[in-house]
Structure formats: structure tokens, C-alpha cells
């Protein structure tokens, strides 16, 4: 039950994060509700649907029905543009990407909102189905190190929450909005919740040490932080894998800036395509890959064979890349095919870079 509850929390966190990125883009407003003459938050005279001084909406719901409306829109993100976006993302990704780039923003879910929701949902599904990224617990010494490290992280986050709570009280006393700091507090609390769950999982088992690098000699790359990360991985794989899971979850957005330069290289001589175009292309593509992972994981859990799941996971991404390249950049079949080969190669390189960054960053230091 703990895993399922945590997974539901992750999905809701992802939906709320996506909602924060795209709060009301293109949504119709119900004009049947009466507006107050002055903003209920700061008292400024209203001139439209929003206060031009503090940004608060002119109409505030105060009914039970409005609560369910807010849940549906704010958490589940169910709205017309979701159902317009997902079919195009699956079957005609190039058309979706091109239309969004060309200005149809209100009609579709933004690429970043879709990506955030996909990432949180993917990790939630993996966690709910028992797919935590850790190995059997190590020796008593390794267990003690793991417990100390995670306890230190929780304590640091608790101190951050305390300081932010003081800051929030000061903002509230001045009558300023606390929405931003509320989101920061919720994010840190979510990280602590996940840390406690993973710590219980890691320290709740106990078998033998297993070096994920096998019996190979120590690797020397010349990059000190990376070599240190590999050494720590060998010494305590459980702790290293826990940190990699946590940071892959937190820093998955880094795949976007890592990937964009590779796509830019394929069209560097075409001045009509800009970096923004490539960023939209990459983010929608990553959003599709995360949602594909969610669907395949659930299908595998309910009986789809591993062979079929892996076959789809290996064959579908290149097909999707090909269709998205053709539609987004107006390529002919052969040009799209050659660039798909290059893009698939770049995707593997980007994942390797991301993995190495996770090893080398301070989380493993």
C-alpha cells in the first residue's frame, strides 16, 4: 500500500508541476459567473478576468462542485487540449510539433508540461510495480553508511523547509503571494518522502555484496569526479543506485539541453529552423518516450511478455522519430530516414552523457 500511495503522490506531483508550467493557456473562461468590482486579494479595481496588479483571477469558486472542477483541471489535467494533443503525439508527432512551433499554443498541451507529467508518471508506475532501482543490501558497514547519508539528506531538507516556512510567514504578513514558496516547500517535502520510502526499501533487505561492474579492474577515465563516482559505486552499489534514482528523477529535464545541440547539428545550415524549434521537437519526443514507457510497463505488469515489450521499446522509438522528423522539418523519405539513424545514435549518446553526469555530480561525491 505504501508503494501505491507513493505512486499516486508522484502522479499528482507531476500533474501539478505540469499545471504550474501551463496554468491556463487557452482555456475558455465561464463568463456566466459574476465578477466583483475589486480584486479580493489586493483591492485593485478590476478591468478584466484577472487583476492587473497581483494577477489573481477575478472570480473565486466557493462551491463543492468547484472543488471537483479544480481537482480535474489542476491534478488530473483533463481538458480538451489533452485529448487533442495525445492522438497527434502518438500518430502524427511531426504535425503536432510543427503546429505548436507555428503558433497553435492554446490548442495543445505545451511540450514541457507534457514532459513533466510523463516523467513523474513513469517513475510513479515503476515504483508502484516494484521497479525501484536498487540491488540487495550490502554489509553492515555499507548499511550504516547508507542510513547516515540518507538521514543527513532528510535533515538538510527539514532545515530548508523550516527556513522557507519562516519566509512564507513573512510574506503572508506583508500580504504578498506565497504560491511560489508553497511549491518549493511541497517539492522538498516530496523529496523527503521519497527518500524515506527508498531508505526503508534498501535497509529492509539483506543479502550479499554485488559489484555491478563485475570483477573488472578499476576504471580510470581521467575525470576525477567520475572516477570517484565509479569507486563509490563499487564500494556501495545500493547507496549509489539510490542516489542515481533520486537524481534521475530530479534532473531528467537535463536531457533536453543535452539533446538539443545534437538535433541542431542536423539542421545547422538551414536558417529557417531555430533552436526553439529543436527544443520543442526534443521535448515532445521525450514526452512520448516517457508515456510509451508508462504504457509498456503497465502492459508488462498485466501479462505482456518481456520479449514483446522489449521489441516494442526498441522498434517504436525510431519509427516515431522518423515520423516526427518528416512532419516537423518537411523532409523527404530518404533524408528523414538518414536523419533518423543519426538521431537514434545521438539519443544513445545523450543517455550515456546523462548517466555519466549522474555518476560525476555531487550526489555521488
Amino acid at each position: 500500500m505504501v508503494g501505491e500511495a507513493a505512486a499516486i503522490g508522484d502522479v499528482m506531483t507531476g500533474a501539478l508541476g505540469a499545471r504550474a508550467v501551463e496554468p491556463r493557456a487557452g482555456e475558455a473562461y465561464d463568463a456566466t459567473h459574476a465578477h466583483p468590482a475589486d480584486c479580493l486579494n489586493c483591492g485593485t479595481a478590476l478591468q478584466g478576468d484577472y487583476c492587473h496588479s497581483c494577477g489573481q483571477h477575478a472570480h473565486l469558486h466557493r462551491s463543492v462542485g468547484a472543488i471537483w472542477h479544480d481537482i480535474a483541471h489542476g491534478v488530473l489535467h483533463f481538458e480538451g487540449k489533452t485529448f487533442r494533443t495525445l492522438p497527434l503525439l502518438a500518430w502524427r508527432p511531426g504535425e503536432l510539433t510543427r503546429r505548436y512551433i507555428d503558433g497553435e499554443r492554446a490548442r495543445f498541451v505545451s511540450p514541457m508540461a507534457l514532459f513533466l507529467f510523463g516523467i513523474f508518471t513513469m517513475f510513479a508506475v515503476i515504483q508502484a510495480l516494484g521497479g525501484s532501482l536498487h540491488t540487495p543490501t550490502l554489509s553492515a558497514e555499507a548499511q550504516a553508511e547508507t542510513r547516515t547519508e540518507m538521514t543527513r539528506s532528510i535533515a538538510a531538507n527539514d532545515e530548508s523547509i523550516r527556513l522557507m516556512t519562516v519566509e512564507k510567514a513573512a510574506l503572508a504578513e506583508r500580504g504578498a503571494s506565497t504560491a511560489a514558496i508553497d511549491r518549493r516547500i511541497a517539492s522538498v517535502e516530496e523529496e523527503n518522502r521519497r527518500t524515506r520510502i527508498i531508505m526503508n526499501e534498501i535497509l529492509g533487505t539483506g543479502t550479499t555484496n554485488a559489484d555491478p561492474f563485475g570483477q573488472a579492474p578499476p576504471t580510470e577515465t581521467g575525470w576525477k569526479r567520475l572516477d570517484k563516482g565509479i569507486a563509490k559505486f563499487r564500494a556501495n552499489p545500493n547507496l549509489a543506485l539510490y542516489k542515481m534514482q533520486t537524481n534521475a528523477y530530479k534532473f531528467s529535464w537535463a536531457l533536453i539541453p543535452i539533446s538539443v545541440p545534437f538535433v541542431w547539428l542536423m539542421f545547422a545550415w538551414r536558417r529557417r529552423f531555430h533552436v526553439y524549434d529543436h527544443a520543442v521537437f526534443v521535448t515532445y519526443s521525450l514526452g512520448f518516450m516517457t508515456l510509451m514507457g508508462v504504457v509498456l510497463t503497465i502492459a508488462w505488469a498485466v501479462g505482456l511478455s518481456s520479449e514483446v515489450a522489449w521489441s516494442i521499446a526498441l522498434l517504436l522509438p525510431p519509427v516515431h522519430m522518423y515520423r516526427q522528423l518528416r512532419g516537423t522539418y518537411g523532409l523527404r523519405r530518404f533524408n528523414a530516414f538518414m536523419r533518423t539513424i543519426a538521431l537514434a545514435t545521438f539519443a544513445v549518446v545523450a543517455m550515456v552523457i546523462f548517466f555519466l553526469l549522474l555518476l560525476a555530480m555531487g550526489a555521488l561525491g
Side-chain angles (χ1 to χ4, degrees):
M1 290 297 294
V2 174
E4 285 75 4
I8 293 172
D10 287 340
V11 173
M12 295 181 69
T13 301
L16 290 171
R19 193 65 173 170
V21 170
E22 188 177 330
R24 290 191 63 83
E27 293 179 15
Y29 179 71
D30 187 356
T32 61
H33 295 285
H35 290 207
D38 299 326
C39 175
L40 298 177
N41 182 59
C42 67
T44 302
L46 294 171
Q47 299 179 7
D49 291 339
Y50 296 89
C51 174
H52 64 273
S53 177
C54 69
Q56 177 166 292
H57 203 287
H59 178 77
L60 300 179
H61 299 283
R62 297 182 63 181
S63 66
V64 175
I67 294 176
W68 291 107
H69 176 274
D70 290 341
I71 290 175
H73 280 264
V75 177
L76 300 178
H77 208 49
F78 280 165
E79 53 192 46
K81 60 184 176 180
T82 301
F83 299 107
R84 286 191 294 268
T85 302
L86 293 182
L88 283 178
L89 180 67
W91 303 113
R92 291 185 288 181
E95 178 184 337
L96 169 65
T97 307
R98 176 46 53 192
R99 289 172 67 178
Y100 189 89
I101 291 171
D102 287 344
E104 294 186 44
R105 310 292 169 80
R107 183 179 295 272
F108 303 113
V109 177
S110 70
M112 182 55 71
L114 186 71
F115 172 72
L116 286 175
F117 181 74
I119 283 292
F120 278 90
T121 303
M122 182 176 67
F123 277 89
V125 169
I126 291 174
Q127 179 172 301
L129 298 178
S132 298
L133 301 177
H134 63 77
T135 56
T137 307
L138 309 178
S139 63
E141 181 181 353
Q143 288 187 32
E145 180 185 357
T146 302
R147 186 185 299 276
T148 300
E149 186 75 21
M150 293 184 181
T151 302
R152 186 184 299 119
S153 174
I154 291 172
N157 284 342
D158 285 340
E159 176 63 16
S160 296
I161 293 171
R162 186 187 68 79
L163 294 175
M164 287 189 289
T165 302
V166 173
E167 182 181 351
K168 175 183 175 180
L171 289 172
E173 186 176 351
R174 296 198 303 268
S177 172
T178 62
I181 198 166
D182 283 338
R183 288 194 294 269
R184 288 162 52 196
I185 291 173
S187 176
V188 177
E189 289 176 341
E190 170 67 13
E191 183 178 341
N192 266 2
R193 182 185 66 82
R194 291 180 59 84
T195 300
R196 289 188 175 96
I197 290 172
I198 297 174
M199 181 167 65
N200 289 337
E201 291 178 350
I202 290 177
L203 301 178
T205 58
T207 52
T208 59
N209 192 354
D211 185 353
F213 289 92
Q215 300 301 319
T219 304
E220 294 293 339
T221 66
W223 185 2
K224 290 184 178 180
R225 291 192 67 84
L226 180 57
D227 290 340
K228 184 178 180 181
I230 293 175
K232 284 185 171 290
F233 209 130
R234 287 178 175 278
N236 192 344
N238 249 7
L239 179 58
L241 285 170
Y242 151 72
K243 289 180 176 180
M244 287 191 67
Q245 178 179 357
T246 300
N247 284 282
Y249 175 78
K250 289 164 51 179
F251 296 103
S252 54
W253 57 264
L255 284 168
I256 298 172
I258 290 173
S259 303
V260 167
F262 293 118
V263 180
W264 175 84
L265 282 173
M266 298 193 299
F267 300 95
W269 61 92
R270 297 195 178 186
R271 295 187 177 181
R272 67 189 183 95
F273 299 131
H274 304 284
V275 173
Y276 176 83
D277 302 0
H278 307 320
V280 172
F281 175 92
V282 165
T283 310
Y284 267 138
S285 181
L286 289 172
F288 171 80
M289 300 306 169
T290 58
L291 293 176
M292 180 191 70
V294 170
V295 172
L296 288 178
T297 301
I298 295 174
W300 171 78
V302 298
L304 183 68
S305 68
S306 298
E307 293 78 9
V308 173
W310 277 109
S311 297
I312 295 174
L314 292 174
L315 296 176
L316 185 56
V319 173
H320 191 271
M321 291 177 186
Y322 172 82
R323 293 176 62 84
Q324 190 176 7
L325 281 168
R326 284 204 70 191
T328 302
Y329 299 104
L331 302 175
R332 295 184 177 180
R333 287 186 175 86
F334 178 75
N335 288 337
F337 176 75
M338 296 305 295
R339 283 179 170 83
T340 298
I341 295 175
L343 184 60
T345 304
F346 291 154
V348 174
V349 173
M351 290 301 299
V352 171
I353 293 173
F354 182 65
F355 172 77
L356 293 177
L357 287 175
L358 291 179
L359 274 177
M361 66 192 306
L364 290 182

